[in-house]
Amino acid sequence: MNKKFDNILDNKWWQEIAVVAFSFTIYTLKNDWMLFSSLASILMGVFFYFILYMHAQFNRFFLLPILFKTQRPLTYIFLTLFGVFVFSVVLYEIMMLDMFSNCRLYQNSHQRSYMYQLASVLGTLVCILSPIIVFKFYRIHRKQTDEALLFNEMQLNSLKGQLNPHFLFNTFNTLYGISLEFPERTPDLIMKVSQLMRYQLESNSKKCVSLEDELEFINSYVQLEKERVGYRCEITYDCKIDNENAYKVSPMLLIAFIENAFKHGTCAIEKCYVRIIITVENGLLHLHVVNSIPTKKTDVVSTKIGLKNTIERLNLIYGKDYKLDIQDENKNTYIVDLKLQLKKFVE
Protein backbone atom coordinates (compact mmCIF):
# COMPACT_ATOMS: atom_id res chain seq x y z
CA MET A 1 0.00 0.00 0.00
CA ASN A 2 2.80 2.42 0.93
CA LYS A 3 4.67 1.54 -2.27
CA LYS A 4 1.59 2.34 -4.38
CA PHE A 5 1.17 5.62 -2.53
CA ASP A 6 4.83 6.49 -3.15
CA ASN A 7 4.40 5.71 -6.85
CA ILE A 8 1.44 8.12 -6.99
CA LEU A 9 3.47 10.83 -5.26
CA ASP A 10 6.34 10.32 -7.71
CA ASN A 11 4.09 10.42 -10.81
CA LYS A 12 3.93 13.94 -12.28
CA TRP A 13 0.58 13.32 -13.97
CA TRP A 14 -1.07 12.25 -10.73
CA GLN A 15 0.41 15.30 -9.08
CA GLU A 16 -1.06 17.58 -11.77
CA ILE A 17 -4.48 15.95 -11.39
CA ALA A 18 -4.32 16.40 -7.62
CA VAL A 19 -3.42 20.09 -8.00
CA VAL A 20 -6.25 20.72 -10.48
CA ALA A 21 -8.77 18.87 -8.29
CA PHE A 22 -7.69 20.80 -5.21
CA SER A 23 -7.72 24.25 -6.80
CA PHE A 24 -10.94 23.60 -8.74
CA THR A 25 -12.69 22.50 -5.56
CA ILE A 26 -11.62 25.67 -3.75
CA TYR A 27 -12.75 27.76 -6.74
CA THR A 28 -16.20 26.14 -6.91
CA LEU A 29 -16.79 26.49 -3.18
CA LYS A 30 -15.78 30.14 -3.33
CA ASN A 31 -18.31 30.81 -6.07
CA ASP A 32 -21.24 28.87 -4.56
CA TRP A 33 -21.61 26.39 -7.42
CA MET A 34 -24.36 24.62 -5.52
CA LEU A 35 -26.63 27.54 -6.49
CA PHE A 36 -25.93 27.26 -10.22
CA SER A 37 -29.11 26.15 -11.92
CA SER A 38 -28.07 26.19 -15.58
CA LEU A 39 -25.50 24.53 -17.77
CA ALA A 40 -24.46 27.96 -19.07
CA SER A 41 -23.45 29.04 -15.57
CA ILE A 42 -21.36 25.91 -15.08
CA LEU A 43 -19.63 26.34 -18.44
CA MET A 44 -18.91 29.98 -17.65
CA GLY A 45 -17.43 28.91 -14.31
CA VAL A 46 -15.20 26.35 -16.02
CA PHE A 47 -14.16 29.02 -18.53
CA PHE A 48 -13.19 31.43 -15.74
CA TYR A 49 -11.28 28.69 -13.91
CA PHE A 50 -9.42 27.86 -17.14
CA ILE A 51 -8.23 31.48 -17.36
CA LEU A 52 -7.09 31.39 -13.73
CA TYR A 53 -5.34 28.05 -14.31
CA MET A 54 -3.55 29.35 -17.42
CA HIS A 55 -2.35 32.35 -15.42
CA ALA A 56 -0.90 30.04 -12.76
CA GLN A 57 0.81 27.90 -15.42
CA PHE A 58 2.25 31.02 -17.04
CA ASN A 59 3.74 31.98 -13.68
CA ARG A 60 4.99 28.44 -13.16
CA PHE A 61 6.82 27.97 -16.46
CA PHE A 62 7.96 31.53 -17.24
CA LEU A 63 8.27 33.41 -13.95
CA LEU A 64 9.24 30.80 -11.38
CA PRO A 65 12.51 30.00 -13.24
CA ILE A 66 13.50 33.62 -12.60
CA LEU A 67 13.24 32.89 -8.88
CA PHE A 68 14.77 29.39 -8.77
CA LYS A 69 17.28 29.40 -11.62
CA THR A 70 18.48 32.99 -11.88
CA GLN A 71 17.73 33.75 -8.21
CA ARG A 72 16.23 37.18 -8.73
CA PRO A 73 13.40 37.37 -6.17
CA LEU A 74 12.61 41.06 -6.63
CA THR A 75 12.19 40.61 -10.39
CA TYR A 76 9.94 37.60 -9.80
CA ILE A 77 7.76 39.48 -7.29
CA PHE A 78 7.39 42.46 -9.63
CA LEU A 79 6.47 40.34 -12.66
CA THR A 80 4.08 38.22 -10.57
CA LEU A 81 2.23 41.28 -9.29
CA PHE A 82 2.10 42.69 -12.82
CA GLY A 83 0.70 39.39 -14.12
CA VAL A 84 -1.93 39.31 -11.37
CA PHE A 85 -2.96 42.86 -12.28
CA VAL A 86 -3.23 42.09 -16.02
CA PHE A 87 -5.21 38.86 -15.59
CA SER A 88 -7.56 40.44 -13.01
CA VAL A 89 -8.32 43.26 -15.47
CA VAL A 90 -8.98 40.68 -18.20
CA LEU A 91 -11.35 38.74 -15.94
CA TYR A 92 -13.14 41.91 -14.85
CA GLU A 93 -13.68 43.02 -18.46
CA ILE A 94 -14.94 39.55 -19.46
CA MET A 95 -17.30 39.49 -16.49
CA MET A 96 -18.85 42.81 -17.57
CA LEU A 97 -19.89 41.41 -20.96
CA ASP A 98 -23.60 40.98 -21.71
CA MET A 99 -23.31 37.16 -21.82
CA PHE A 100 -23.20 37.10 -18.02
CA SER A 101 -26.49 38.91 -17.55
CA ASN A 102 -28.56 35.68 -17.87
CA CYS A 103 -26.41 33.33 -15.74
CA ARG A 104 -26.10 33.22 -12.00
CA LEU A 105 -22.29 33.34 -11.98
CA TYR A 106 -20.93 36.51 -10.30
CA GLN A 107 -24.38 37.99 -9.65
CA ASN A 108 -23.63 39.44 -6.21
CA SER A 109 -22.40 43.02 -6.19
CA HIS A 110 -19.17 42.22 -4.38
CA GLN A 111 -18.44 39.45 -6.91
CA ARG A 112 -18.73 41.86 -9.80
CA SER A 113 -16.12 44.23 -8.38
CA TYR A 114 -12.54 44.48 -9.60
CA MET A 115 -11.16 43.74 -6.12
CA TYR A 116 -13.02 40.41 -6.09
CA GLN A 117 -11.45 39.41 -9.41
CA LEU A 118 -8.03 40.51 -8.15
CA ALA A 119 -8.48 38.33 -5.05
CA SER A 120 -9.63 35.40 -7.24
CA VAL A 121 -6.53 35.62 -9.44
CA LEU A 122 -4.17 35.91 -6.48
CA GLY A 123 -5.91 33.23 -4.40
CA THR A 124 -6.04 30.72 -7.25
CA LEU A 125 -2.38 31.38 -8.01
CA VAL A 126 -1.48 30.49 -4.43
CA CYS A 127 -3.74 27.39 -4.43
CA ILE A 128 -2.13 26.06 -7.62
CA LEU A 129 1.51 27.07 -7.17
CA SER A 130 1.81 26.02 -3.51
CA PRO A 131 1.21 22.27 -4.03
CA ILE A 132 3.18 22.37 -7.30
CA ILE A 133 6.23 23.79 -5.48
CA VAL A 134 5.76 21.31 -2.64
CA PHE A 135 5.67 18.39 -5.11
CA LYS A 136 8.71 19.79 -6.92
CA PHE A 137 10.78 19.93 -3.76
CA TYR A 138 9.50 16.48 -2.78
CA ARG A 139 10.77 15.06 -6.08
CA ILE A 140 14.12 16.83 -5.68
CA HIS A 141 14.48 15.55 -2.11
CA ARG A 142 13.44 12.04 -3.15
CA LYS A 143 15.96 12.05 -5.98
CA GLN A 144 18.75 13.26 -3.70
CA THR A 145 17.81 10.64 -1.10
CA ASP A 146 17.77 7.85 -3.70
CA GLU A 147 21.15 8.99 -5.04
CA ALA A 148 22.59 9.08 -1.52
CA LEU A 149 21.24 5.60 -0.76
CA LEU A 150 22.63 4.27 -4.02
CA PHE A 151 26.03 5.83 -3.31
CA ASN A 152 26.04 4.41 0.23
CA GLU A 153 25.10 0.98 -1.09
CA MET A 154 27.94 1.13 -3.60
CA GLN A 155 30.34 2.11 -0.84
CA LEU A 156 29.11 -0.71 1.38
CA ASN A 157 29.49 -3.25 -1.40
CA SER A 158 32.99 -1.98 -2.05
CA LEU A 159 33.90 -2.22 1.64
CA LYS A 160 32.44 -5.72 1.91
CA GLY A 161 34.34 -6.70 -1.23
CA GLN A 162 37.58 -5.64 0.45
CA LEU A 163 36.66 -7.13 3.84
CA ASN A 164 35.85 -10.63 2.58
CA PRO A 165 39.32 -11.37 1.10
CA HIS A 166 40.78 -9.83 4.27
CA PHE A 167 38.85 -12.28 6.45
CA LEU A 168 39.81 -15.14 4.15
CA PHE A 169 43.48 -14.18 4.42
CA ASN A 170 43.38 -14.14 8.23
CA THR A 171 41.46 -17.42 8.45
CA PHE A 172 43.95 -19.28 6.28
CA ASN A 173 46.78 -17.85 8.36
CA THR A 174 45.06 -19.34 11.41
CA LEU A 175 44.63 -22.68 9.66
CA TYR A 176 48.27 -22.64 8.59
CA GLY A 177 49.43 -22.05 12.16
CA ILE A 178 47.35 -24.96 13.47
CA SER A 179 48.53 -27.32 10.75
CA LEU A 180 52.16 -26.71 11.74
CA GLU A 181 51.65 -27.46 15.43
CA PHE A 182 48.78 -29.94 15.34
CA PRO A 183 48.66 -31.58 11.88
CA GLU A 184 46.25 -34.30 13.09
CA ARG A 185 43.57 -31.64 13.69
CA THR A 186 43.83 -30.16 10.23
CA PRO A 187 41.06 -32.18 8.49
CA ASP A 188 38.41 -31.23 11.07
CA LEU A 189 39.54 -27.63 11.08
CA ILE A 190 39.36 -27.44 7.29
CA MET A 191 35.70 -28.48 7.60
CA LYS A 192 35.10 -25.69 10.13
CA VAL A 193 36.83 -23.18 7.88
CA SER A 194 34.68 -24.29 4.95
CA GLN A 195 31.56 -23.61 7.04
CA LEU A 196 32.85 -20.14 7.82
CA MET A 197 33.55 -19.52 4.16
CA ARG A 198 30.10 -20.76 3.17
CA TYR A 199 28.45 -18.32 5.57
CA GLN A 200 30.64 -15.53 4.30
CA LEU A 201 29.70 -16.18 0.67
CA GLU A 202 25.99 -16.64 1.38
CA SER A 203 25.74 -13.48 3.47
CA ASN A 204 27.78 -11.37 1.07
CA SER A 205 24.76 -10.55 -1.11
CA LYS A 206 22.49 -9.75 1.85
CA LYS A 207 22.08 -6.39 3.50
CA CYS A 208 21.02 -7.95 6.79
CA VAL A 209 21.11 -11.38 8.39
CA SER A 210 19.53 -12.69 11.56
CA LEU A 211 21.47 -11.98 14.72
CA GLU A 212 21.33 -15.70 15.51
CA ASP A 213 23.22 -16.58 12.29
CA GLU A 214 25.81 -13.88 12.87
CA LEU A 215 26.45 -15.00 16.45
CA GLU A 216 26.75 -18.62 15.34
CA PHE A 217 29.36 -17.51 12.82
CA ILE A 218 31.29 -15.59 15.51
CA ASN A 219 31.11 -18.58 17.86
CA SER A 220 32.54 -20.85 15.15
CA TYR A 221 35.39 -18.43 14.57
CA VAL A 222 36.15 -18.26 18.31
CA GLN A 223 36.19 -22.05 18.51
CA LEU A 224 38.64 -22.12 15.62
CA GLU A 225 40.94 -19.71 17.45
CA LYS A 226 40.67 -21.82 20.61
CA GLU A 227 42.03 -24.73 18.62
CA ARG A 228 44.96 -22.61 17.54
CA VAL A 229 46.00 -20.77 20.71
CA GLY A 230 43.73 -22.13 23.44
CA TYR A 231 46.56 -24.04 25.07
CA ARG A 232 48.44 -20.81 25.86
CA CYS A 233 45.75 -18.17 25.78
CA GLU A 234 42.82 -17.60 28.14
CA ILE A 235 39.81 -17.17 25.84
CA THR A 236 36.45 -16.07 27.22
CA TYR A 237 33.35 -15.80 25.06
CA ASP A 238 30.07 -14.85 26.72
CA CYS A 239 26.88 -14.08 24.82
CA LYS A 240 23.56 -13.04 26.35
CA ILE A 241 20.69 -12.11 24.03
CA ASP A 242 17.13 -11.40 25.15
CA ASN A 243 15.68 -12.60 21.82
CA GLU A 244 18.05 -13.74 19.06
CA ASN A 245 15.37 -14.31 16.42
CA ALA A 246 13.91 -10.82 16.78
CA TYR A 247 16.87 -8.82 15.47
CA LYS A 248 18.84 -8.40 12.28
CA VAL A 249 22.32 -7.05 11.71
CA SER A 250 24.61 -6.29 8.80
CA PRO A 251 26.69 -9.40 8.07
CA MET A 252 30.38 -9.56 9.01
CA LEU A 253 30.07 -6.33 10.99
CA LEU A 254 31.44 -7.46 14.36
CA ILE A 255 34.01 -10.03 13.31
CA ALA A 256 36.76 -7.50 12.51
CA PHE A 257 37.00 -6.40 16.17
CA ILE A 258 37.21 -10.03 17.29
CA GLU A 259 39.76 -10.92 14.60
CA ASN A 260 41.88 -7.98 15.66
CA ALA A 261 41.88 -9.13 19.30
CA PHE A 262 43.17 -12.61 18.39
CA LYS A 263 45.66 -11.34 15.83
CA HIS A 264 47.39 -8.82 18.08
CA GLY A 265 46.53 -10.23 21.50
CA THR A 266 47.99 -13.67 20.91
CA CYS A 267 51.08 -12.84 18.89
CA ALA A 268 53.51 -14.10 21.52
CA ILE A 269 54.36 -17.34 23.33
CA GLU A 270 53.81 -15.77 26.76
CA LYS A 271 50.51 -16.07 28.61
CA CYS A 272 47.78 -13.90 27.11
CA TYR A 273 44.02 -13.47 27.09
CA VAL A 274 41.10 -12.50 24.86
CA ARG A 275 37.72 -11.71 26.41
CA ILE A 276 34.61 -11.22 24.30
CA ILE A 277 31.26 -10.24 25.79
CA ILE A 278 28.17 -9.69 23.63
CA THR A 279 24.85 -8.62 25.15
CA VAL A 280 21.60 -7.50 23.58
CA GLU A 281 18.85 -5.98 25.66
CA ASN A 282 15.81 -4.27 24.13
CA GLY A 283 17.59 -4.19 20.79
CA LEU A 284 20.73 -2.49 22.12
CA LEU A 285 23.79 -4.52 21.18
CA HIS A 286 26.87 -4.12 23.34
CA LEU A 287 30.13 -5.65 22.13
CA HIS A 288 32.99 -5.57 24.64
CA VAL A 289 36.33 -7.00 23.54
CA VAL A 290 39.46 -6.94 25.66
CA ASN A 291 42.78 -8.46 24.71
CA SER A 292 46.20 -8.44 26.25
CA ILE A 293 49.12 -6.73 24.57
CA PRO A 294 52.22 -8.93 24.78
CA THR A 295 55.40 -7.25 25.94
CA LYS A 296 57.39 -9.21 23.39
CA LYS A 297 55.45 -9.23 20.15
CA THR A 298 56.16 -11.30 17.11
CA ASP A 299 55.75 -9.66 13.75
CA VAL A 300 52.14 -9.74 12.61
CA VAL A 301 51.17 -9.15 9.00
CA SER A 302 48.44 -6.52 9.14
CA THR A 303 46.78 -4.70 6.27
CA LYS A 304 44.63 -2.62 8.67
CA ILE A 305 41.76 -3.07 6.23
CA GLY A 306 39.45 -4.88 8.64
CA LEU A 307 38.99 -2.23 11.35
CA LYS A 308 39.07 0.69 8.94
CA ASN A 309 36.42 -0.78 6.68
CA THR A 310 34.24 -1.85 9.60
CA ILE A 311 34.25 1.67 11.02
CA GLU A 312 33.36 3.08 7.60
CA ARG A 313 30.50 0.58 7.35
CA LEU A 314 29.26 1.63 10.79
CA ASN A 315 29.30 5.25 9.66
CA LEU A 316 27.37 4.45 6.49
CA ILE A 317 24.76 2.19 8.10
CA TYR A 318 24.21 3.87 11.47
CA GLY A 319 25.54 7.39 10.97
CA LYS A 320 25.75 8.90 14.45
CA ASP A 321 23.47 6.25 15.99
CA TYR A 322 26.28 4.13 17.39
CA LYS A 323 29.06 4.51 19.93
CA LEU A 324 32.52 3.07 19.42
CA ASP A 325 35.19 3.50 22.05
CA ILE A 326 38.65 2.05 21.42
CA GLN A 327 41.15 2.29 24.25
CA ASP A 328 44.76 1.48 23.54
CA GLU A 329 46.54 3.94 25.84
CA ASN A 330 47.24 1.18 28.32
CA LYS A 331 50.35 -0.72 27.26
CA ASN A 332 48.97 -4.00 28.59
CA THR A 333 45.42 -4.10 27.24
CA TYR A 334 43.44 -3.16 24.15
CA ILE A 335 39.71 -2.50 24.64
CA VAL A 336 36.91 -2.18 22.10
CA ASP A 337 33.49 -1.08 23.30
CA LEU A 338 30.71 -0.89 20.69
CA LYS A 339 27.06 -0.03 21.24
CA LEU A 340 24.46 0.10 18.49
CA GLN A 341 20.69 -0.20 18.16
CA LEU A 342 19.68 -3.26 16.17
CA LYS A 343 16.75 -3.32 13.79
CA LYS A 344 13.89 -5.73 14.36
CA PHE A 345 12.51 -8.16 11.80
CA VAL A 346 8.93 -7.30 12.75
CA GLU A 347 8.24 -3.79 13.97
Side-chain angles (χ1 to χ4, degrees), residues 265-291:
T266 62
C267 58
I269 301 178
E270 63 189 80
K271 192 69 176 178
C272 53
Y273 64 86
V274 174
R275 296 165 188 163
I276 305 164
I277 301 174
I278 301 177
T279 60
V280 176
E281 186 175 356
N282 296 323
L284 181 64
L285 183 144
H286 183 194
L287 172 67
H288 186 72
V289 183
V290 182
N291 64 269

Short mmCIF file of all heavy atoms in Angstrom, two decimals, residues 265-291:
data_model
loop_
_atom_site.label_atom_id
_atom_site.label_comp_id
_atom_site.label_asym_id
_atom_site.label_seq_id
_atom_site.Cartn_x
_atom_site.Cartn_y
_atom_site.Cartn_z
N GLY A 265 46.47 -9.85 20.08
CA GLY A 265 46.53 -10.23 21.50
C GLY A 265 47.18 -11.56 21.76
O GLY A 265 47.47 -11.91 22.91
N THR A 266 47.40 -12.33 20.72
CA THR A 266 47.99 -13.67 20.91
C THR A 266 49.26 -13.86 20.11
O THR A 266 49.64 -14.98 19.79
CB THR A 266 46.97 -14.75 20.49
OG1 THR A 266 46.68 -14.59 19.09
CG2 THR A 266 45.68 -14.64 21.27
N CYS A 267 49.90 -12.75 19.76
CA CYS A 267 51.08 -12.84 18.89
C CYS A 267 52.36 -13.01 19.68
O CYS A 267 53.38 -12.41 19.39
CB CYS A 267 51.16 -11.59 18.01
SG CYS A 267 51.25 -10.04 18.93
N ALA A 268 52.32 -13.82 20.73
CA ALA A 268 53.51 -14.10 21.52
C ALA A 268 53.32 -15.44 22.21
O ALA A 268 52.20 -15.93 22.38
CB ALA A 268 53.76 -13.00 22.54
N ILE A 269 54.42 -16.05 22.65
CA ILE A 269 54.36 -17.34 23.33
C ILE A 269 53.91 -17.17 24.78
O ILE A 269 53.35 -18.07 25.39
CB ILE A 269 55.73 -18.04 23.26
CG1 ILE A 269 56.14 -18.24 21.80
CG2 ILE A 269 55.71 -19.38 23.98
CD1 ILE A 269 57.50 -18.88 21.62
N GLU A 270 54.15 -16.01 25.36
CA GLU A 270 53.81 -15.77 26.76
C GLU A 270 52.30 -15.85 26.99
O GLU A 270 51.51 -15.85 26.05
CB GLU A 270 54.30 -14.37 27.16
CG GLU A 270 53.62 -13.25 26.39
CD GLU A 270 54.26 -11.89 26.63
OE1 GLU A 270 55.31 -11.64 25.99
OE2 GLU A 270 53.74 -11.14 27.44
N LYS A 271 51.91 -15.96 28.24
CA LYS A 271 50.51 -16.07 28.61
C LYS A 271 49.75 -14.82 28.18
O LYS A 271 50.21 -13.70 28.37
CB LYS A 271 50.38 -16.25 30.13
CG LYS A 271 49.00 -16.67 30.60
CD LYS A 271 48.70 -18.09 30.17
CE LYS A 271 47.35 -18.54 30.72
NZ LYS A 271 46.99 -19.90 30.28
N CYS A 272 48.57 -15.02 27.60
CA CYS A 272 47.78 -13.90 27.11
C CYS A 272 46.30 -14.21 27.26
O CYS A 272 45.92 -15.32 27.65
CB CYS A 272 48.11 -13.59 25.65
SG CYS A 272 47.98 -15.04 24.58
N TYR A 273 45.46 -13.26 26.95
CA TYR A 273 44.02 -13.47 27.09
C TYR A 273 43.23 -12.66 26.06
O TYR A 273 43.68 -11.61 25.60
CB TYR A 273 43.55 -13.13 28.50
CG TYR A 273 43.72 -11.67 28.89
CD1 TYR A 273 42.75 -10.71 28.58
CD2 TYR A 273 44.87 -11.26 29.56
CE1 TYR A 273 42.91 -9.39 28.93
CE2 TYR A 273 45.05 -9.93 29.92
CZ TYR A 273 44.06 -9.00 29.60
OH TYR A 273 44.23 -7.68 29.95
N VAL A 274 42.07 -13.19 25.71
CA VAL A 274 41.10 -12.50 24.86
C VAL A 274 39.73 -12.71 25.50
O VAL A 274 39.31 -13.86 25.72
CB VAL A 274 41.09 -13.04 23.42
CG1 VAL A 274 39.96 -12.39 22.62
CG2 VAL A 274 42.42 -12.79 22.73
N ARG A 275 39.03 -11.62 25.77
CA ARG A 275 37.72 -11.71 26.41
C ARG A 275 36.68 -11.00 25.54
O ARG A 275 36.85 -9.82 25.20
CB ARG A 275 37.75 -11.07 27.80
CG ARG A 275 38.69 -11.80 28.76
CD ARG A 275 38.99 -10.98 29.99
NE ARG A 275 40.04 -11.62 30.80
CZ ARG A 275 40.74 -11.00 31.75
NH1 ARG A 275 40.50 -9.72 32.01
NH2 ARG A 275 41.67 -11.66 32.43
N ILE A 276 35.65 -11.74 25.19
CA ILE A 276 34.61 -11.22 24.30
C ILE A 276 33.26 -11.35 25.01
O ILE A 276 32.87 -12.46 25.41
CB ILE A 276 34.57 -12.01 22.97
CG1 ILE A 276 35.94 -11.98 22.30
CG2 ILE A 276 33.50 -11.43 22.04
CD1 ILE A 276 36.10 -13.02 21.20
N ILE A 277 32.58 -10.24 25.15
CA ILE A 277 31.26 -10.24 25.79
C ILE A 277 30.29 -9.55 24.86
O ILE A 277 30.50 -8.39 24.46
CB ILE A 277 31.29 -9.52 27.16
CG1 ILE A 277 32.29 -10.20 28.10
CG2 ILE A 277 29.89 -9.51 27.78
CD1 ILE A 277 32.47 -9.46 29.41
N ILE A 278 29.22 -10.25 24.49
CA ILE A 278 28.17 -9.69 23.63
C ILE A 278 26.85 -9.78 24.37
O ILE A 278 26.43 -10.86 24.79
CB ILE A 278 28.08 -10.43 22.29
CG1 ILE A 278 29.40 -10.36 21.53
CG2 ILE A 278 26.95 -9.84 21.44
CD1 ILE A 278 29.41 -11.14 20.22
N THR A 279 26.18 -8.64 24.53
CA THR A 279 24.85 -8.62 25.15
C THR A 279 23.90 -7.81 24.28
O THR A 279 24.31 -6.85 23.63
CB THR A 279 24.90 -7.99 26.56
OG1 THR A 279 25.39 -6.64 26.47
CG2 THR A 279 25.81 -8.78 27.48
N VAL A 280 22.66 -8.24 24.27
CA VAL A 280 21.60 -7.50 23.58
C VAL A 280 20.40 -7.42 24.51
O VAL A 280 19.87 -8.45 24.94
CB VAL A 280 21.19 -8.18 22.25
CG1 VAL A 280 20.03 -7.43 21.62
CG2 VAL A 280 22.36 -8.23 21.29
N GLU A 281 20.00 -6.21 24.80
CA GLU A 281 18.85 -5.98 25.66
C GLU A 281 18.00 -4.87 25.07
O GLU A 281 18.48 -3.76 24.83
CB GLU A 281 19.30 -5.60 27.08
CG GLU A 281 18.14 -5.49 28.05
CD GLU A 281 18.60 -5.22 29.47
OE1 GLU A 281 19.84 -5.21 29.71
OE2 GLU A 281 17.74 -5.03 30.34
N ASN A 282 16.74 -5.22 24.77
CA ASN A 282 15.81 -4.27 24.13
C ASN A 282 16.38 -3.72 22.82
O ASN A 282 16.19 -2.55 22.50
CB ASN A 282 15.48 -3.11 25.08
CG ASN A 282 14.73 -3.57 26.32
OD1 ASN A 282 13.91 -4.48 26.25
ND2 ASN A 282 15.02 -2.96 27.45
N GLY A 283 17.07 -4.58 22.10
CA GLY A 283 17.59 -4.19 20.79
C GLY A 283 18.92 -3.48 20.82
O GLY A 283 19.49 -3.21 19.77
N LEU A 284 19.44 -3.18 22.01
CA LEU A 284 20.73 -2.49 22.12
C LEU A 284 21.85 -3.52 22.22
O LEU A 284 21.94 -4.24 23.22
CB LEU A 284 20.76 -1.55 23.32
CG LEU A 284 22.07 -0.76 23.52
CD1 LEU A 284 22.29 0.20 22.35
CD2 LEU A 284 22.05 0.00 24.84
N LEU A 285 22.67 -3.58 21.18
CA LEU A 285 23.79 -4.52 21.18
C LEU A 285 25.02 -3.86 21.79
O LEU A 285 25.37 -2.73 21.44
CB LEU A 285 24.10 -4.98 19.75
CG LEU A 285 25.21 -6.02 19.61
CD1 LEU A 285 24.89 -6.99 18.48
CD2 LEU A 285 26.58 -5.37 19.33
N HIS A 286 25.66 -4.61 22.69
CA HIS A 286 26.87 -4.12 23.34
C HIS A 286 27.97 -5.16 23.13
O HIS A 286 27.86 -6.28 23.64
CB HIS A 286 26.61 -3.88 24.83
CG HIS A 286 27.80 -3.30 25.54
ND1 HIS A 286 27.91 -3.25 26.92
CD2 HIS A 286 28.95 -2.73 25.07
CE1 HIS A 286 29.05 -2.69 27.26
NE2 HIS A 286 29.70 -2.37 26.15
N LEU A 287 28.97 -4.79 22.36
CA LEU A 287 30.13 -5.65 22.13
C LEU A 287 31.31 -5.12 22.93
O LEU A 287 31.71 -3.95 22.76
CB LEU A 287 30.49 -5.69 20.64
CG LEU A 287 31.79 -6.40 20.27
CD1 LEU A 287 31.68 -7.90 20.55
CD2 LEU A 287 32.15 -6.15 18.81
N HIS A 288 31.85 -5.96 23.80
CA HIS A 288 32.99 -5.57 24.64
C HIS A 288 34.10 -6.58 24.42
O HIS A 288 33.94 -7.77 24.74
CB HIS A 288 32.57 -5.52 26.11
CG HIS A 288 33.63 -4.98 27.02
ND1 HIS A 288 33.99 -3.65 27.06
CD2 HIS A 288 34.44 -5.61 27.92
CE1 HIS A 288 34.95 -3.46 27.95
NE2 HIS A 288 35.24 -4.63 28.48
N VAL A 289 35.20 -6.12 23.84
CA VAL A 289 36.33 -7.00 23.54
C VAL A 289 37.58 -6.45 24.22
O VAL A 289 37.92 -5.28 24.05
CB VAL A 289 36.58 -7.11 22.02
CG1 VAL A 289 37.72 -8.08 21.74
CG2 VAL A 289 35.31 -7.56 21.30
N VAL A 290 38.22 -7.32 24.98
CA VAL A 290 39.46 -6.94 25.66
C VAL A 290 40.52 -7.98 25.33
O VAL A 290 40.26 -9.18 25.43
CB VAL A 290 39.27 -6.86 27.19
CG1 VAL A 290 40.58 -6.41 27.86
CG2 VAL A 290 38.13 -5.92 27.55
N ASN A 291 41.68 -7.52 24.94
CA ASN A 291 42.78 -8.46 24.71
C ASN A 291 44.07 -7.92 25.30
O ASN A 291 44.26 -6.70 25.42
CB ASN A 291 42.98 -8.75 23.21
CG ASN A 291 43.39 -7.53 22.42
OD1 ASN A 291 42.53 -6.82 21.90
ND2 ASN A 291 44.69 -7.29 22.30
#
